[in-house]
Amino acid sequence: MLGNLFKPRSHYVYNYKPRYYDARKERLKNLENENNQSSISFDKGNLKSKWTRAKRASADRKANIRVAIIIAILVGLVSYIFEIHTLFNV
């Protein structure tokens, strides 16, 4: 009896399992179940290749716009320089 008086109380143990709901994961799982027969594939390699292809297309588009702007600036500078030379020759 005296031993229980000074002994700390043990903690309670519950059978608690926390739940986590991931809406994106659930949506992907539903799409995968619905489209099992279609050509949509949710494997890691397919998604990665599509991502890199889209990223590359975006980068190429930006590079093309950058080159077009540089060419326009150079054409403007060249025309300005030739116009100044024609003014001095008059």
Side-chain angles (χ1 to χ4, degrees), residues 46 48-58:
N46 189 17
K48 186 175 182 180
S49 67
K50 284 184 180 181
W51 176 264
T52 54
R53 212 174 309 136
K55 196 172 183 181
R56 191 179 323 128
S58 157

Side-chain angles (χ1 to χ4, degrees), residues 1-19:
M1 179 132 169
L2 288 177
N4 287 339
L5 185 64
F6 296 108
K7 191 174 183 182
R9 201 176 226 183
S10 65
H11 65 279
Y12 293 104
V13 179
Y14 297 104
N15 189 14
Y16 173 71
K17 295 178 184 175
R19 296 184 209 171

Side-chain angles (χ1 to χ4, degrees), residues 34-50:
E34 290 175 4
N35 298 324
N36 276 340
Q37 292 81 21
S38 68
S39 63
I40 296 175
S41 176
F42 289 101
D43 60 337
K44 185 178 179 180
N46 189 17
L47 290 176
K48 186 175 182 180
S49 67
K50 284 184 180 181

